[in-house]
Amino acid sequence: MSNPDTMRRLLVAVEASPRSRAMLEQAAALARAIEAELAGLFVEDVNLLRLCGLPGHEIALSSGMARRLEQATMERELRAQAEELRRLLEMVAQAREIAWSFQISRGRRREELLGAARKHDLVLLLHHDRKPVTARYAAPKAPPSVAVIYGGSEAGDDLLDIAAKVAARIDAPLTVMLPNGDPARHRALRQAAETRLKASNLKVGYIELPETTDGILDVLTTTDCRLLLVAESSGLIDPALLPRLGEAAACDVLVARD
Amino acid sequence: MPIEPLNPDQLYHRCDPDSFRFETTDDLENVYQSLGQDRAVEALRFGVRMRHDGYNIFVLGPPGTGRHSLVSRVLEHEAAKIPAPSDWAYVNNFETPHQPKALKFPAGQASAFRSDMRQLVEDLRSAIPALFESDEYRTRLHAIEEEYKDLQESRFKDVQDDAEKRGLTLLRTPVGFAVAPTHDNEVMPPEEFNSLPEDERTRIEEDIKAVQKKLQETVKNLPIWERERRKKVRDLSREMTSLAVANVMEALKRKYRDQKEVRAHLEAVEADIIDNVQLFLGGGGGQQSGGQSPGGGDGGVLAPRGESAQTSAERRYEVNIMVGDRGDGEDSTGAPVVKEDLPTHPNLVGRVEHVAEMGALLTDFTLIKPGALHRANGGFLVIDALRLLMQPYAWETLKRALRAKHVKVESLGQMMSLISTVSLEPEPIPLDVKVVLIGDRSLYYMLCRLDPDFDELFKVQVDFEEDVRRDDASIASFTQVLKTISSEHDIKPLDRSAVARVVEHASRMAEDAEKLSVQVGRLTDLLREADFWAGEAGHDTISADDVQAAIDAGIRRASRIRARMQEAITRDIILIDTDGTKVGQINGLSVLQLGTFSFGRPSRITARVRIGSGEVLDIERRVELGGPIHSKGVMILSSYLGARYAANHPLSLTASLVFEQSYSGVDGDSASSAELYALLSALSGLAINQGLAVTGSVNQYGQVQAIGGVNEKIEGYFDICKARGLTGRQGVLIPRANIKHLMLRHDVVEAAKQGRFHIYAVSTIDEGIEILTGTPAGVADENGVYPEGTVNRLVQDRLAELAETRHKFAARGVDMVTKADGGDKTDNGNDK
């Protein structure tokens, strides 16, 4: 978030699945909420292309029939998938009147995503089985919250603002997770967060976050949240841990980069 | 003894206003009277109460005799005594939607059942979604989802584990899965694989095949697991729905427990709701959202697809009332009396409407519309017979329904097998209706003659009278009718003079001084018009003058052609003598009917005679302008002449009779006496008084017989005489039998009173010829010889002379017929 006047870019990796549309809707709704451009990334997995030169067959999911894999066929199918996803992204983005872009790269998924993430302000890691983050929750019990791990930096402040905006938009409470390694820092962070959120009228809860990997995962597992926001620069989370955060909290994770 | 003109009192049967005990009709009570229709009322009541098959009713009689109002009154009176019939409704047939089921309800309960069903849908619309949002449902659904997710994952994990053990990995491809060898947790590049020793490559290939086989088995199981999962979800939905629906349905089943068919339908509804629970949840009707949809049925086979699930549920369980859909406060007692003004096939048996959607025409049981037979079921259906017969196939449709004793909603296209597309075939509804057809007599007799079914289906004829005998009792009833008409049509009250004038006019309408017309329609028109003229004159009540004004205005409006014809006569374009004497020429009288207006006009009839073979030539007939009845009259003349004057020798004349200046058809025998007078004049050489006109038919014995339109004929001739100036020598000869029909205009009666115009009533030709020629007719002696100087003697002598002449010609071998027809040796009676 080097320049607040510049529109943020929200990167989301897209892949073909029965829930592609729902997930893209989810990403588009979030982009709209935080006024960001939605950037879709489709990775042509190099491992799939390698398959074509190896022995063995592809087993079709619909019929169970085996067929010989060929390079040209695989490339056509990947292109078709990409085109379909691009069309879907265009549709959902236009429906919400947000800026969008779509990019195709070839390589290993993780590496390509990390590579693309460097050029974007925000990265959305979608969790496959979650409800849409922007849907209002109608059940009578307490609604899941929007959770943010707050480390106090400028990027952290920015992220706190985003979290507050999203929570207000979907009428969800906000859970602020504060590292509890140093009590004085914990108090300072809480005070800063409270000051920053004072005008928001949100229902805000504060949770102490252990500074160990297992401790963080334990807290996330027991927290009922719909979206977790974390700043890469907070230093609290090992980048290698990022994909596991979504699994632990069973929610989407929005990673803010410097 | 000379025949005297009729007394003026005989020319008009006056009604004395002072005979009434009221001042105006307002003084009378409004009691409905069926004037002169006792026979019809009796027949109608019989037909209405006779409950056996085929005793439907045909009301016959001329228009305007009050058939419709009398039928309505009697039917409504009788219908009120009959219990209200059952209600009928169409409901969805869930097994075969194109054959909707008909449900019967006690009177007035169909609407309640429809309300109950709508309430049911409304209740379920909130109860069912709540059920599917309950923790119990969510938990159990989640458990099923997890079970199958775990099953799939564990099977794929087995494959994956097996693959990993063999140094392979399982990859998701765009359309399925593939197995590949790995190196350092990455798919082995092909070049690396190819560089492996052959036995190593062979081993990997074998391993890949083994894993692929296992993978294939797993993939092939996916649809089976999916089916199982769906079934479990469906079973869960059914279990959850069953409880909710059963709770709501129980009350309904209890309410309708005595009605077997309704109860069966409720059970079918219950089963269908459980199968189609998605109709009560959000989303489109019939849409399936993969594994998340709790239901699994169709959203309505024939239902329009563009509607929401909620609308779809309303339509699916709707109750379409055919009979008994009464509004709030509408009377539900008594049998219905339905009048169908446009008895087309669909208006009788109902129709199935369609809605256009995306270029296709769709329908369902809610679009079935009832026909007149549905609405009249259990009661009475009144139809105008002519209108019914004019509508294609409507008569056949009605007969078929009456024979089959049920009403089946079927389009003409279906009935004629013109349409083969799938449409609705609603279950026929049992029919118990009494049909009342109203038509004129010719229609009734035509149907009797041409349609063998007619007698079987319409056994009751209700024959309406057109007139009634005029006496004190009938005049009292007639007065009551006038009161009813004025009350029903918001007409000013009639004073006693007006009532008397209307009574007199009713006699004139009946063409009989001793009868009253009961053509209520025409009487109503007369009263309305009299009301108008009373209003114009600023009267509060209708007086005799207002009635007369209405009569005169009506005649004036219709009499343009009469005026033109009379003008042609007074201008001598049509030659009619009204004074002086002429041999072989007489004024006959005829009546012209133009629409509802008729008037009389004189026609000059001439006769000429010559020697011949006893033939009276009807020239009108020769040129095909004369009708058969006219010809019959002329033939009777021949017979009369021969039998009376030439009994002992051949009738040796040829006479020709002509209606002068007649350019259109002539029919009827009312001029036959006039023709005979002209013939007798021609034969006797005695001139006929041209101031007199004659009407009446004659028989072979010379008796003058009654004719129709006597008043119009007299008035027609009077108008001509009046236009030229009445001389006191003018008048009309009418048959004596027509005296009772005289209801002449006041100006004619007045002229007769003053001796300026005379009406003579004659019984025989002898009486008539005496008046016309001023010469005694003469009575034959025992030898059949008439006295000298009498008309008959002159005729007798003339015919004898012709016979003798003919005999002489015959002795000379001359073919009289040929010669006579050649015209060389004709004898003209006028020459004498």
Side-chain angles (χ1 to χ4, degrees):
Chain A
M1 242 59 69
S2 51
N3 184 359
D5 297 331
T6 318
M7 181 178 272
R8 299 185 188 95
R9 299 183 71 210
L10 172 62
L11 178 70
V12 62
V14 292
E15 55 188 81
S17 84
R19 295 204 61 234
S20 298
R21 185 188 177 110
M23 292 170 78
L24 277 173
E25 296 269 8
Q26 208 167 312
L30 185 62
R32 168 86 185 176
I34 61 175
E35 296 166 3
E37 175 191 320
L38 182 61
L41 172 68
F42 177 76
V43 181
E44 291 181 351
D45 191 347
V46 72
N47 283 329
L48 292 180
L49 295 166
R50 279 181 184 172
L51 275 174
C52 304
L54 293 169
H57 293 74
E58 183 183 39
I59 308 299
L61 191 59
S62 55
S63 63
M65 299 297 290
R67 67 166 188 167
R68 185 79 200 149
L69 281 165
E70 288 179 6
Q71 181 86 15
T73 307
M74 180 62 76
E75 286 184 350
R76 268 199 305 276
E77 286 173 355
L78 288 170
R79 275 202 302 278
Q81 274 190 341
E83 176 54 24
E84 177 62 15
L85 289 163
R86 189 203 66 77
R87 195 184 59 76
L88 260 179
L89 176 61
E90 180 182 15
M91 199 162 67
V92 298
Q94 283 179 349
R96 284 182 168 74
E97 296 178 334
I98 56 171
W100 64 282
S101 61
F102 187 78
Q103 173 188 346
I104 302 172
S105 66
R106 180 175 288 186
R108 294 186 181 83
R109 278 187 184 137
R110 183 181 163 78
E111 288 166 10
E112 291 301 314
L113 178 60
L114 289 174
R118 288 187 202 105
K119 301 169 192 164
H120 293 77
D121 312 305
L122 301 162
V123 181
L124 180 63
L125 305 173
L126 291 168
H127 187 272
H128 284 242
D129 292 335
R130 284 298 295 176
K131 281 195 160 189
V133 69
T134 48
R136 285 173 185 271
Y137 198 76
K141 64 184 182 182
S145 61
V146 171
V148 57
I149 299 174
Y150 179 54
S153 65
E154 185 187 344
D157 288 346
D158 211 7
L159 195 65
L160 193 61
D161 290 344
I162 291 173
K165 197 178 279 186
V166 174
R169 190 172 183 90
I170 64 175
D171 199 17
L174 179 64
T175 302
V176 182
M177 298 179 171
L178 304 167
N180 64 356
D182 176 1
R185 183 166 176 250
H186 178 85
R187 275 195 302 278
L189 284 173
R190 175 157 183 162
Q191 196 171 9
E194 283 175 347
T195 308
R196 201 158 188 88
L197 295 171
K198 196 170 182 180
S200 68
N201 280 334
L202 282 171
K203 187 178 174 188
V204 184
Y206 293 90
I207 291 180
E208 293 186 7
L209 194 66
E211 291 193 40
T212 62
T213 301
D214 290 343
I216 291 171
L217 292 179
D218 283 348
V219 168
L220 290 178
T221 306
T222 55
T223 305
D224 188 13
C225 65
R226 305 167 76 182
L227 177 67
L228 175 66
L229 296 92
V230 58
E232 198 180 48
S233 62
S234 67
L236 294 169
I237 309 291
D238 181 350
L241 190 61
L242 283 176
R244 293 177 62 193
L245 294 179
E247 294 299 319
C251 71
D252 303 332
V253 178
L254 183 68
V255 181
R257 299 194 62 261
D258 288 335
Chain B
M1 184 178 168
I3 304 286
E4 290 298 320
L6 292 177
N7 190 308
D9 292 344
Q10 292 175 282
L11 305 183
Y12 190 78
H13 188 169
R14 191 167 166 273
C15 177
D16 183 6
D18 294 333
S19 65
F20 298 124
R21 291 180 190 165
F22 57 85
E23 287 301 319
T24 71
T25 49
D26 265 357
D27 301 338
L28 299 172
E29 278 186 47
N30 195 2
V31 181
Y32 180 77
Q33 293 267 347
S34 59
L35 180 59
Q37 305 297 0
D38 296 346
R39 185 204 316 271
V41 172
E42 186 185 324
L44 193 54
R45 291 211 170 108
F46 163 76
V48 167
R49 292 173 186 174
M50 189 72 177
R51 299 312 297 176
H52 290 284
D53 294 341
Y55 281 85
N56 293 296
I57 299 163
F58 195 106
V59 177
L60 56 154
T65 47
R67 297 169 304 174
H68 287 272
S69 58
L70 180 60
V71 165
S72 295
R73 283 176 189 276
V74 172
L75 291 186
E76 277 160 20
H77 183 256
E78 294 293 325
K81 300 178 195 167
I82 301 172
S86 303
D87 290 353
W88 285 92
Y90 276 114
V91 292
N92 203 347
N93 183 345
F94 303 109
E95 289 176 6
T96 48
H98 71 286
Q99 294 176 318
K101 287 191 292 185
L103 287 186
K104 183 180 179 181
F105 298 89
Q109 283 197 17
S111 296
F113 183 68
R114 181 175 60 187
S115 301
D116 287 341
M117 288 304 290
R118 286 178 179 171
Q119 188 59 49
L120 171 78
V121 171
E122 190 64 34
D123 290 347
L124 289 177
R125 201 181 284 158
S126 54
I128 290 179
L131 206 63
F132 285 96
E133 282 179 5
S134 67
D135 285 344
E136 180 190 351
Y137 176 76
R138 284 171 180 279
T139 306
R140 291 175 65 179
L141 180 65
H142 189 66
I144 294 169
E145 300 293 340
E146 288 298 312
E147 177 188 348
Y148 282 91
K149 194 175 162 193
D150 290 349
L151 179 65
Q152 284 185 27
E153 281 178 358
S154 72
R155 295 301 167 85
F156 278 103
K157 189 166 183 312
D158 288 348
V159 176
Q160 176 69 24
D161 290 348
D162 188 27
E164 281 176 7
K165 276 183 203 160
R166 298 169 191 262
L168 305 173
T169 188
L170 199 59
L171 286 174
R172 183 83 168 84
T173 67
V175 295
F177 292 93
V179 181
T182 54
H183 181 75
D184 289 341
N185 290 329
E186 290 288 338
V187 173
M188 183 182 287
E191 51 276 17
E192 187 181 333
F193 175 77
N194 290 331
S195 65
L196 292 173
E198 189 174 348
D199 56 343
E200 180 65 7
R201 288 206 309 269
T202 307
R203 183 193 65 77
I204 291 173
E205 283 172 9
E206 289 301 320
D207 284 346
I208 287 175
K209 278 181 188 170
V211 175
Q212 271 186 184
K213 192 178 173 192
K214 207 169 178 179
L215 178 63
Q216 257 179 318
E217 283 168 6
T218 306
V219 167
K220 281 181 177 171
N221 275 325
L222 287 177
I224 299 168
W225 297 334
E226 178 60 17
R227 271 200 302 278
E228 285 176 5
R229 186 194 66 79
R230 281 176 183 269
K231 184 174 181 307
K232 283 195 175 181
V233 171
R234 202 158 46 237
D235 288 347
L236 171 63
S237 305
R238 291 175 65 86
E239 183 189 329
M240 300 294 288
T241 315
S242 298
L243 187 63
V245 177
N247 285 340
V248 186
M249 292 295 277
E250 193 51 42
L252 275 184
K253 284 186 191 170
R254 260 202 315 278
K255 183 173 176 183
Y256 296 97
R257 64 179 174 272
D258 297 333
Q259 294 167 50
K260 193 176 158 195
E261 287 83 8
V262 179
R263 201 181 150 87
H265 176 65
L266 287 172
E267 276 162 12
V269 167
E270 184 173 357
D272 190 74
I273 290 172
I274 292 167
D275 286 342
N276 293 283
V277 69
Q278 78 282 358
L279 294 174
F280 295 89
L281 303 169
Q287 283 183 354
Q288 302 283 313
S289 53
Q292 299 307 313
S293 171
D298 64 285
V301 173
L302 289 168
R305 295 176 185 177
E307 61 194 17
S308 70
Q310 286 162 353
T311 317
S312 194
E314 277 170 4
R315 291 178 74 91
R316 195 173 179 84
Y317 307 111
E318 177 62 307
V319 177
N320 183 11
I321 299 175
M322 293 284 108
V323 183
D325 193 5
R326 300 177 182 89
D328 289 343
E330 200 171 327
D331 186 13
S332 63
T333 58
V337 178
V338 173
K339 289 166 197 156
E340 181 52 64
D341 285 335
L342 184 61
T344 58
H345 167 90
N347 283 358
L348 287 174
V349 296
R351 63 192 183 280
V352 178
E353 294 184 339
H354 292 75
V355 287
E357 190 176 313
M358 308 287 284
L361 289 175
L362 302 173
T363 186
D364 64 18
F365 73 98
T366 62
L367 296 175
I368 302 171
K369 304 294 174 193
L373 285 169
H374 291 104
R375 294 194 304 276
N377 203 359
F380 304 94
L381 175 59
V382 183
I383 305 175
D384 184 281
L386 184 61
R387 288 183 196 169
L388 177 72
L389 292 169
M390 282 169 66
Q391 296 299 331
Y393 297 101
W395 173 237
E396 282 304 313
T397 299
L398 179 67
K399 285 195 301 179
R400 199 169 54 153
L402 291 174
R403 272 199 307 266
K405 288 190 272 185
H406 66 229
V407 54
K408 187 175 177 186
V409 181
E410 192 177 38
S411 73
L412 271 180
Q414 282 174 296
M415 200 175 89
M416 308 295 292
S417 303
L418 296 174
I419 299 171
S420 56
T421 49
V422 175
S423 187
L424 295 187
E425 295 171 20
E427 185 182 351
I429 290 177
L431 182 66
D432 174 23
V433 70
K434 181 79 73 180
V435 176
V436 181
L437 292 183
I438 299 178
D440 60 29
R441 291 198 179 91
S442 60
L443 211 52
Y444 176 80
Y445 295 118
M446 185 191 77
L447 286 168
C448 283
R449 193 170 69 249
L450 300 178
D451 189 342
D453 296 333
F454 182 68
D455 276 349
E456 290 296 312
L457 294 172
F458 290 85
K459 293 180 195 286
V460 183
Q461 60 168 303
V462 175
D463 200 350
F464 268 63
E465 297 283 0
E466 292 157 84
D467 49 42
V468 60
R469 187 171 180 77
R470 178 174 162 181
D471 53 27
D472 289 346
S474 65
I475 288 174
S477 298
F478 187 85
T479 309
Q480 198 62 56
V481 169
L482 298 184
K483 161 69 180 172
T484 307
I485 293 172
S486 66
S487 300
E488 284 184 354
H489 298 275
D490 195 22
I491 291 170
K492 292 183 187 67
L494 288 83
D495 68 18
R496 53 169 69 176
S497 71
V499 172
R501 183 66 191 95
V502 176
V503 168
E504 291 164 1
H505 187 66
S507 287
R508 172 63 190 253
M509 280 163 61
E511 293 189 358
D512 195 326
E514 296 174 0
K515 287 187 182 290
L516 290 173
S517 169
V518 290
Q519 294 188 54
V520 179
R522 286 180 63 188
L523 286 172
T524 306
D525 289 344
L526 176 65
L527 295 200
R528 283 195 191 112
E529 290 168 24
D531 180 65
F532 170 81
W533 290 112
E536 291 284 298
H539 298 161
D540 293 333
T541 56
I542 298 171
S543 66
D545 289 344
D546 299 321
V547 176
Q548 189 59 49
I551 294 168
D552 292 344
I555 290 171
R556 178 168 166 70
R557 287 198 298 274
S559 63
R560 188 187 68 85
I561 291 175
R562 182 182 74 172
R564 296 297 296 270
M565 281 193 168
Q566 290 177 351
E567 183 190 63
I569 291 170
T570 53
R571 292 175 67 201
D572 291 332
I573 294 167
I574 294 174
L575 299 177
I576 300 289
D577 288 340
T578 53
D579 205 1
T581 60
K582 284 275 176 68
V583 174
Q585 175 179 308
I586 195 165
N587 293 322
L589 294 169
S590 56
V591 173
L592 272 75
Q593 178 89 34
L594 296 171
T596 57
F597 180 64
S598 58
F599 61 93
R601 53 160 268 187
S603 297
R604 173 179 287 180
I605 299 170
T606 58
R608 304 194 77 178
V609 294
R610 62 185 193 269
I611 193 165
S613 56
E615 186 186 12
V616 178
L617 284 177
D618 177 8
I619 288 182
E620 305 298 323
R621 181 68 177 170
R622 285 286 174 101
V623 295
E624 296 181 353
L625 282 175
I629 300 173
H630 180 256
S631 296
K632 179 187 169 192
V634 173
M635 286 177 185
I636 288 171
L637 301 188
S638 297
S639 169
Y640 174 78
L641 281 180
R644 184 159 194 194
Y645 302 111
N648 300 318
H649 57 79
L651 185 61
S652 303
L653 90 165
T654 293
S656 54
L657 289 167
V658 179
F659 265 71
E660 303 289 358
Q661 291 182 291
S662 159
Y663 306 107
S664 56
V666 173
D667 202 6
D669 63 354
S670 71
S672 62
S673 67
E675 288 166 331
L676 183 52
Y677 293 136
L679 205 51
L680 293 176
S681 168
L683 283 167
S684 65
L686 294 171
I688 288 174
N689 178 0
Q690 297 299 302
L692 297 173
V694 173
T695 183
S697 67
V698 66
N699 64 17
Q700 292 194 89
Y701 296 96
Q703 291 173 307
V704 178
Q705 303 165 144
I707 43 79
V710 65
N711 295 302
E712 286 84 354
K713 284 173 177 172
I714 294 170
E715 288 164 2
Y717 187 63
F718 174 81
D719 287 338
I720 300 296
C721 295
K722 190 179 172 188
R724 286 178 172 168
L726 295 172
T727 61
R729 293 183 298 278
Q730 292 150 333
V732 177
L733 273 68
I734 62 166
R736 186 163 293 279
N738 279 118
I739 294 176
K740 58 178 74 73
H741 300 144
L742 290 176
M743 284 299 289
L744 289 167
R745 266 184 356 226
H746 286 187
D747 54 346
V748 182
V749 177
E750 196 56 35
K753 265 186 196 166
Q754 294 167 4
R756 297 168 67 208
F757 196 76
H758 311 287
I759 313 296
Y760 298 95
V762 296
S763 303
T764 62
I765 289 297
D766 284 352
E767 288 175 9
I769 199 72
E770 282 186 15
I771 298 168
L772 290 165
T773 60
T775 305
V779 180
D781 60 17
E782 62 275 13
N783 298 318
V785 178
Y786 292 97
E788 285 286 341
T790 62
V791 178
N792 288 333
R793 177 60 180 266
L794 289 168
V795 173
Q796 195 173 40
D797 289 351
R798 175 68 172 152
L799 287 172
E801 181 190 329
L802 288 172
E804 192 179 338
T805 308
R806 188 184 176 207
H807 181 69
K808 286 177 187 168
F809 275 104
R812 296 209 310 259
V814 178
D815 182 345
M816 288 308 301
V817 174
T818 311
K819 283 289 181 186
D821 285 349
D824 292 333
K825 293 274 184 181
T826 55
D827 187 355
N828 191 331
N830 288 345
D831 291 343
K832 287 194 172 178

